[in-house]
Amino acid sequence: ADDFNPCEDIMSAVPLRILIWIISILALLGNTAVLLVLLGSRCKLTVPRFLMCHLAFSDLCMGIYLVVIATVDIVTRGRYYNHAIDWQTGLGCRAAGFFTVFASELSVFTLTAITLERWYTIKHALRLDRKLRLRHACIVMTAGWIFSSLAALLPTVGVSSYGKVSICLPMDVESLVSQVYVVSLLLLNILAFFCVCGCYLSIYLTVRNPSSAPAHADTSVAQRMAVLIFTDFVCMAPISFSAVSA
């Protein structure tokens, strides 16, 4: 037994068990509501709305992963040692692991894409001929889906493994290939964080410059997106930095 492979309970602390249910239910309800509002609206599907749909879907997948882990914790409560091998080597754990890696990488990719889109729109506020179109966003997000799917599939074919720990994260770093895989994902997340910070610094300087004169609507959207993106990265960045140092 260790912190990631318990004997009795996956969620050893009662507050943690309660918290995971609260977070997972909020993730499912909140992101489903976002998708219904954005896709059911009669308003034109703009590039920011399109990207927000992808962000909501990726966070919805994370909610599914949390529900799966919380459910397994309840089902095996007090006797996880009887189920550990079947769970960690079974299809359920691989599916849960796929959901979390796919969701986290698609979320980081989309957050970065949203930031770059806002930066590009505000930097070229006076050049209507250089506005990003929906077809451009489709190409970008297709690349994001391919990358996230490949990242999530690799542990199922021997590059790291989802069965190493009870919460089905790719934490197997015994081989060099697995180490490169895990560290690469973490470094990409850190790089995305610095990219976001740089873009918002540039946006701030542009908005402060009267000669640039970005539209008020563009600036307002950028401010709202900034709150969303930085709260997400406040959660992710410490994990990435700590894991890389470990």
Side-chain angles (χ1 to χ4, degrees), residues 44-52 55 109-128 130-134 136-137 140-141 195-207 212-230:
K44 181 182 178 182
L45 186 63
T46 60
V47 173
R49 282 172 171 263
F50 176 75
L51 295 175
M52 282 293 294
L55 182 62
F109 187 95
T110 309
L111 289 168
T112 308
I114 289 171
T115 303
L116 290 171
E117 186 273 333
R118 285 294 87 198
W119 170 80
Y120 185 87
T121 298
I122 289 174
K123 288 292 284 186
H124 299 91
L126 304 180
R127 296 287 303 274
L128 297 179
R130 298 187 68 176
K131 289 279 187 181
L132 284 172
R133 308 298 179 189
L134 198 57
H136 300 140
V140 170
M141 290 314 303
C195 175
V196 167
C197 290
C199 285
Y200 272 103
L201 177 61
S202 177
I203 289 172
Y204 174 75
L205 294 175
T206 301
V207 170
S212 300
H216 175 71
D218 288 334
T219 304
S220 178
V221 171
Q223 289 172 343
R224 291 198 298 272
M225 294 296 191
V227 174
L228 175 71
I229 287 166
F230 279 106

Side-chain angles (χ1 to χ4, degrees), residues 23-37 56 60:
I23 293 171
S24 58
I25 290 170
L26 286 175
L28 293 176
L29 294 179
N31 289 294
T32 300
V34 170
L35 287 171
L36 289 175
V37 169
L60 181 65

